Amino acid sequence: MKKLFTRGVIRVSALAACCAVGAMMAGTASAKDSIKVGVVTFLTGPAAGPFGVPGKNGAELVIDAINAGTLPAPHNSKGFGGATMEPVFIDEAGGGAKQVAEYRNLVEKQNVDAVIGYISSGSCMAIAPVADELQKLTIMSVCGTPRLFEEKPRSHVFRTQGNAVGDSIAAARYMVEMFPKMKSYTGINQNYAWGQDSWKFYDLAMKKLDPASQASDKPQFPKIFSGQYSAEISTMLLDKAPVVHTSFWDGDIEAFMLQGLVRGFFQQKKLVSVVGGSAVDSLGKKFPDGVVLGTRGKYGLLVREDMSDPLNAWFVTEYKKRYDVYPLGPSYQYAKAILYYKLGMDKAAKAAGGSPNQDQVMSALKNMKFNSFDGEVSMSLGEGRQAVHPVGYGITKWNAKKGEPGIEKVKYYGAECINPPAGTLSEDWLNQGMPGAKCN
Amino acid sequence: MIETLKKDKTVRWIILGFLALAITGNFMEAWVQNNIMFGLARGLAVLGLMVLWRTGLISFGHALYFGIGAYAVGLVDRNLGISDIFLRLIFAVGASAFVGFLLGFILRKYRGIFFAMLNLAFSMVLYGILVKVESLGSTDGFSVSQTTILGWAPENKYALFAAIVIACAIGAVLVQCYLKTALGSLTTAIRDNELRVEYLGFSVARAIHVKYVMSAGLAGASGALLAMALGQVDPDSMVNWPVSGELVFITVMAGPGSVIAPFLGGVVFEFLRTYAFELAPEAWQLIVGGTLLGIIFFLPMGLWSLLERIWKRRGVSS
């Protein structure tokens, strides 16, 4: 018995020694003249093409420019508070729970100084509590769910993209203003969180802005990535509603456009596409004229021709030069999040007179107002952590002269026209009929 | 029974190994601790699949039970405010085993590809429901509050780590016991010749049903532990078909050699993926898949057979 016990002890300690070796594989601490930042975006799967890769390209372009100090003034100082950024790109595919595991690896294994990114609202909602738990500065770049800051106050999370309620209010305002005679509307949205929310907010906003407007009782919710929409198209063609709202993206919007085109769908219906920007370039001339198109901000197609803002002019030109395509919405969104981090680092470094610590950076980031590639951004909601900015819509029109997609009648709605005042929940504000909205 | 257990070498190794792990867990880097925790939790589901595999059955749909376990934790947390690890596990295992029991009546009649695909179909039904129902969180899922242990809310992750290690050890010992019983020793017999087993006086359908319910319960426990470790449930990482695929992947990678193999496989998989993510963020699947191919080519009986070979060689030389 005693012998057995001794042998047991030896075995336990041998195994313990093995495990301890693993435990001692510690990560290396980063030097002060360079910072390591995790950049998370879809690199594989269906969201990589329209969102992930343009996002990554936008981030890379701006990181390189900031490291070299070649951004236009006033952002032309070199580095992030003087430090060079070394990005670590991580794939966002696979769902929220998987992202939590990878986020922990980024923070605890790779010892990054901050994490920037996330496209899907599911990822953002899953990451936010972990970011607060691990106390790591995290800047969300694309996701739109209003729940992020409205459900719970956050301590380490920031978001540089306005929330989805604002996108829908802007869409509804545009429709009421430009097509006041089209009173009824239906929708085709993918049956998952983003599609359901988009329809819900658009419907609410329309009801409040024009009480005479009427939603169809047959809005369509096909399965995400189903790719076949003939049944839905037939149903909507029979529907009397002249307006069709869609939050489709990726291959789904391309498939829908092509299938609708052969059926003459777009001659009979006015389509409102909230994030169809990626399809405009990939379909080219096949993309129908007359579609009401938004990009969730002053991004992509809406501002491609507009060279009045030097930051936007630089971004469009350099992006086109480097990747041979135009920047899309996510390119701007990632570039903005990176720029925001730089400005926070610069401000904190100046105040601290050296390398700032995380708390100093976070207090610099809070309530910041800055000029980004998409114009003015103000971190005024969610206790100074949530951005508001104008959102615009326009109508597609093929530019025959340049042989490129074009857009006309672009209109922007200011931040205070589509967002609630601080402290009010977006959905409540929408339900109350948007009191105090300041539209010019 | 207890006497044979005491003599069982595997049981001794399980207890010693998991004890050592539980002790050293406290001194590990946080990310190592996390990865081991995720790997072990997943290992429980793989253990269930291994039992089925030994019977010659492969399920491409155990994410169904994995998801039921995870969502059971999420739902009792959100709706009833239950945060105790034991209660959460009881709900999760109960729910998944119950569904497994019901579906078992249908599935026990099928073998081979039909069994695999029917399981997949059932799991995708659950996925479809979760994605469409807003009150279940749709694709975003929802977060799970911190787990408590008999009213005590631990300050760091180590308590949960130790709890998971213990739960896995218990699971492994129970399955080892089961494999030693008469019903358990039928496992490979059924694979080899069902007719003969029937002639011996056993019901093959019932034996498979028992194994199926067992694997469902284990997958439920696995999903529950992972949900608690991650603090988040969502359909894409808990119920969608790649999750089932991952479980089968680990089963094949680990090999059917021992009840310890699934946990080893789970942990190896977690580290493999972590490094693949880090090295090739755009082609990490290639590394993970390539590793599996390599293992199938060179170690057809999985990673465990490599360990067995090493042990045997050492035994001969000394």
Side-chain angles (χ1 to χ4, degrees), chain A residues 4 8 11-12 15-16 19 22-23 25-26 43-44 56 89-91 94-98 100-102 104-105 108-110 121-122 126 133 147 191-193 196-197 200, chain B residues 12-13 16-17 20-21 23-24 27-32 34-35 38 131-132 134 138-141 157 230 232 234 236-238 246 273-275 277-278 281-282 284-285:
Chain A
L4 196 75
R11 278 185 195 167
V12 170
L15 278 171
C19 298
M25 296 192 303
L43 300 175
T44 64
K56 181 181 182 239
F89 287 99
I90 288 286
D91 187 8
K98 200 180 241 165
V100 171
E102 290 316 320
R104 284 186 181 280
N105 277 331
E108 291 173 338
K109 176 167 180 295
Q110 307 230 39
S121 289
E133 181 203 321
R147 286 160 53 217
N191 201 350
Y192 80 115
Q196 292 154 357
D197 279 354
K200 186 170 83 182
Chain B
R12 235 185 269 160
W13 272 106
L16 291 177
L21 197 60
I23 295 167
T24 45
F27 308 105
M28 284 174 193
E29 285 263 322
W31 72 272
V32 178
N34 265 314
N35 274 336
F38 300 153
V131 165
K132 282 175 193 167
E134 266 190 273
S138 188
T139 36
D140 286 358
K157 282 254 161 175
L230 285 166
Q232 168 78 14
D234 71 282
D236 272 321
S237 35
M238 301 291 191
E246 259 167 30
R273 199 173 60 188
T274 301
Y275 279 104
F277 243 75
E278 203 178 310
E282 283 166 61
W284 59 275
Q285 290 104 328

Side-chain angles (χ1 to χ4, degrees), chain B residues 247-265:
Chain B
L247 294 177
V248 174
F249 181 111
I250 303 172
T251 315
V252 174
M253 186 172 82
S258 157
V259 292
I260 307 177
F263 300 101
L264 183 75

Side-chain angles (χ1 to χ4, degrees), chain B residues 18-243:
Chain B
F18 281 77
L19 198 65
L21 197 60
I23 295 167
T24 45
N26 207 4
F27 308 105
M28 284 174 193
E29 285 263 322
W31 72 272
V32 178
Q33 199 186 47
N34 265 314
N35 274 336
I36 293 181
M37 191 154 73
F38 300 153
L40 290 180
R42 222 184 282 274
L44 263 184
V46 176
L47 183 63
L49 282 183
M50 190 197 80
V51 174
L52 284 179
W53 190 22
R54 282 193 180 185
T55 325
L57 294 169
I58 287 267
S59 161
F60 281 134
H62 261 52
L64 171 65
Y65 305 108
F66 191 79
I68 290 176
Y71 268 81
V73 169
L75 288 175
V76 297
D77 172 47
R78 200 179 61 170
N79 299 338
L80 307 172
I82 291 175
S83 65
D84 187 73
I85 185 167
F86 297 104
L87 287 173
R88 281 177 169 184
L89 271 176
I90 289 170
F91 274 105
V93 175
S96 51
F98 180 68
V99 175
F101 173 71
L102 294 182
L103 294 182
F105 286 105
I106 306 170
L107 287 161
R108 66 187 195 180
K109 294 179 192 149
Y110 296 92
R111 304 289 181 271
I113 191 78
F114 307 104
F115 179 84
M117 298 315 276
L118 209 52
N119 269 297
L120 177 65
F122 284 124
S123 78
M124 289 312 282
V125 169
L126 178 69
Y127 178 75
I129 294 172
L130 287 176
V131 165
K132 282 175 193 167
V133 180
E134 266 190 273
S135 57
L136 290 176
S138 188
T139 36
D140 286 358
F142 46 88
S143 55
V144 176
S145 71
Q146 202 206 354
T147 307
T148 56
I149 300 168
L150 297 174
W152 169 58
E155 280 192 0
N156 58 17
K157 282 254 161 175
Y158 174 67
L160 188 63
F161 175 87
I164 288 178
V165 171
I166 293 166
C168 289
I170 292 172
V173 170
L174 287 179
V175 170
Q176 178 71 8
C177 292
Y178 165 78
L179 290 174
K180 295 278 165 190
T181 62
L183 205 59
S185 40
L186 285 178
T187 307
T188 22
I190 293 173
R191 187 188 63 197
D192 292 343
N193 196 329
E194 283 193 21
L195 216 55
R196 278 201 180 176
V197 174
E198 292 273 355
Y199 270 102
L200 283 172
F202 293 99
S203 160
V204 170
R206 192 176 295 167
I208 286 180
H209 202 161
V210 170
K211 287 179 215 307
Y212 191 75
V213 173
M214 206 167 78
S215 69
L218 284 168
S222 165
L225 290 176
L226 201 67
M228 287 188 262
L230 285 166
Q232 168 78 14
V233 293
D234 71 282
D236 272 321
S237 35
M238 301 291 191
V239 198
N240 205 5
W241 62 266
V243 182

